[in-house]
Amino acid sequence: MKTFKYTLSLFLLMMACLAFAQIPSAETGTFALTNAKIETVTNGTIENGTLVIADGMITDIGTSVSIPQGAKTIDCTGMTIYPGMIDGGTQIGLIEVSSDPRTRDNNEIGDVIPHIQALTAVNPSSVIHPVTRVNGVTTALTMPSGGLFPGTAALINLHGYTPDQMYAGFKGVVLNFPATGRRGRWDRRSDEDIKKAADKALEKLNEVWDKALQYHKIDSASGGKDQPYYPEMEALLPVVRGEMKLLINVNSSKDIKSALEWIDEKGADAILCGVAEGWRVAEEIAEAGVPVITGPVLSNPTRSYDRYDRPYANAGAMQKAGVKVAIRTNEVENVRNLPYHAGFAATYGMGKEEALKAITIVPAEIFGVSDKYGSLEKGKVANLFVATGDPFETKTQIKYVFIDGWNIPMISRHTQLYEEYLNRAPGVEK
């Protein structure tokens, strides 16, 4: 029996190795993408241009480019090169199967746990990463959820064997700002109970912030020595010092106003996330000068009497009011749909050019990584994709994707299933 089990295990291992052997690995080296239309985002459009990639970077770009000796040339005639898209808010890598708690690392126990690092929990082998990146999304902010301070979010590139390899240079502590509204149709609390809960949450928020300020004073006075182990305060230390961004999830117009007042009072370096009713208070947000990552765009109105297209027009309304706006999906499995969220925003007031910026250079600027990502420029990281047309249109095909200069195989769970059922053997007949 033991021999049988050993033989079976060995057989299954060999079959698994054969299956993996059939999937090509990403390819590195020097590449020249020629004869392409190049949407740089920051420096206009280059017609019939060439882009050179070497050592993971864009080493040259333009119409008069010398192709390095030994470079692999990819003819992009009739195609367009775009910067890799950046999703400003997801839970990708933290959840694999939403219905299975064993695969969920987005919501840990505790109400104030800013020291919980999303990057540590990211699963580099998630099957969702290939599904997402083959649609041109190369980078995403992955955020913990639940509680007042649920943890620290991290910006990741969707390629790598370890979380550290995927890290794209930005972290921010997440704050779920106390909400004064109902949690949903199922919320049967009275108005009085809702107000009490919101007041209590705000009181706790201020208590935590004041404690972090006291910790900062003690830490500064002692030079960081002989401090008791207090991981929560240690994580909030760079936030109260203005060295790290605070990502504030807030949606209703009333709560957005309260959040803006709180930010001003505390002097926090903050980013507003979600902001579903930002269009109602767009002028106030613009005046405060706080950047916004809004979404999902493909959503329902927050109030039953609002127009159906309010979520679609929200990003554009804020952008026109002078708010710096990036777009997020707030998704796990469907982060790949980021270009379609941006497409709806473009159609409903934002315009195509600004919508493209909202998923490329604007989030890169908000996260402080625009020197590396968000546009096609010499000296930037080679995160880009080559498409047959407008990425906001579902008929467009993505032909090539590069992340950190790696030529990513255009294979995912979806393409594998497509091939499997396209070439059924022995077929569907008995």
Side-chain angles (χ1 to χ4, degrees), residues 118-416:
L119 186 64
T120 303
V122 166
N123 174 18
S125 301
S126 171
V127 297
I128 301 172
H129 295 163
V131 168
T132 303
R133 67 195 183 203
V134 299
N135 211 34
V137 182
T138 60
T139 311
L141 184 73
T142 188
M143 306 175 69
S145 61
L148 186 64
F149 286 97
T152 298
L155 189 68
I156 58 172
N157 286 323
L158 301 183
H159 177 247
Y161 285 100
T162 68
D164 286 340
Q165 285 181 345
M166 300 172 72
Y167 180 53
F170 170 82
K171 289 184 180 180
V173 171
V174 180
L175 164 63
N176 290 318
F177 198 80
T180 57
R182 298 189 182 278
R183 301 189 185 107
R185 294 177 181 176
W186 48 267
D187 191 344
R188 302 300 181 189
R189 294 177 299 168
S190 66
D191 291 342
E192 184 181 355
D193 287 341
I194 291 172
K195 186 178 184 307
K196 284 182 180 178
D199 289 344
K200 184 178 179 181
L202 185 58
E203 184 181 343
K204 183 171 184 178
L205 168 58
N206 289 327
E207 180 184 326
V208 172
W209 189 264
D210 289 342
K211 191 178 291 185
L213 286 173
Q214 290 299 320
Y215 188 86
H216 155 61
K217 292 177 181 177
I218 296 170
D219 183 80
S220 299
S222 65
K225 297 178 181 178
D226 303 322
Q227 280 278 63
Y229 181 64
Y230 205 155
E232 296 95 324
M233 294 300 107
E234 196 70 36
L236 287 174
L237 199 55
V239 178
V240 298
R241 286 176 172 168
E243 300 167 354
M244 181 180 282
K245 297 283 187 180
L246 186 63
L247 300 159
I248 303 179
N249 283 314
V250 62
N251 282 297
S252 78
S253 57
K254 181 180 178 181
D255 294 340
I256 293 169
K257 285 184 176 181
S258 297
L260 292 175
E261 291 173 4
W262 187 89
I263 290 167
D264 183 57
E265 178 188 335
K266 305 301 182 184
D269 188 2
I271 302 168
L272 296 182
C273 302
V275 202
E277 293 189 354
W279 60 275
R280 295 183 189 274
V281 289
E283 299 294 338
E284 288 93 327
I285 300 172
E287 186 178 346
V290 179
V292 164
I293 301 172
T294 191
V297 175
L298 298 176
S299 183
N300 295 320
T302 53
R303 308 186 191 190
S304 59
Y305 52 79
D306 284 338
R307 282 176 55 93
Y308 76 94
D309 58 358
R310 278 303 181 190
Y312 311 156
N314 184 37
M318 287 190 286
Q319 188 270 327
K320 286 181 177 178
V323 181
K324 182 184 279 287
V325 180
I327 291 173
R328 71 176 191 178
T329 61
N330 200 32
E331 281 278 5
V332 181
E333 294 94 342
N334 291 318
V335 177
R336 63 194 174 92
N337 288 336
L338 177 64
Y340 313 133
H341 286 254
F344 267 72
T347 302
Y348 286 84
M350 197 173 204
K352 188 181 292 186
E353 183 179 346
E354 293 301 325
L356 181 60
K357 288 180 179 179
I359 55 173
T360 52
I361 192 62
V362 172
E365 289 172 347
I366 290 174
F367 298 141
V369 293
S370 59
D371 60 326
K372 298 178 181 178
Y373 308 108
S375 63
L376 300 178
E377 300 177 50
K378 185 176 179 179
K380 285 197 173 185
V381 175
N383 276 18
L384 55 91
F385 65 94
V386 183
T388 59
D390 186 344
F392 294 171
E393 297 181 4
T394 55
K395 68 179 182 180
T396 295
Q397 296 181 23
I398 310 297
K399 292 296 186 180
Y400 300 95
V401 172
F402 287 83
I403 300 178
D404 281 328
W406 289 83
N407 187 3
I408 304 296
M410 300 299 290
I411 295 175
S412 71
R413 170 176 62 180
H414 291 182
T415 62
Q416 289 174 317

Side-chain angles (χ1 to χ4, degrees), residues 421 424-430:
Y421 286 96
R424 292 187 293 264
V428 294
E429 295 183 3
K430 230 174 178 182

Side-chain angles (χ1 to χ4, degrees), residues 28-85:
T28 189
T30 302
F31 302 90
L33 311 184
T34 62
N35 306 314
K37 180 180 178 182
I38 304 174
E39 292 289 353
T40 67
V41 172
T42 51
N43 295 310
T45 302
I46 300 172
E47 298 289 348
N48 197 30
T50 295
L51 185 148
V52 178
I53 299 169
D55 298 321
M57 311 295 288
I58 299 172
T59 57
D60 210 348
I61 182 172
T63 54
S64 301
V65 172
S66 297
I67 298 176
Q69 188 174 1
K72 181 177 179 180
T73 301
I74 299 175
D75 185 3
C76 299
T77 299
M79 294 187 282
T80 306
I81 306 175
Y82 292 90
M85 290 180 275

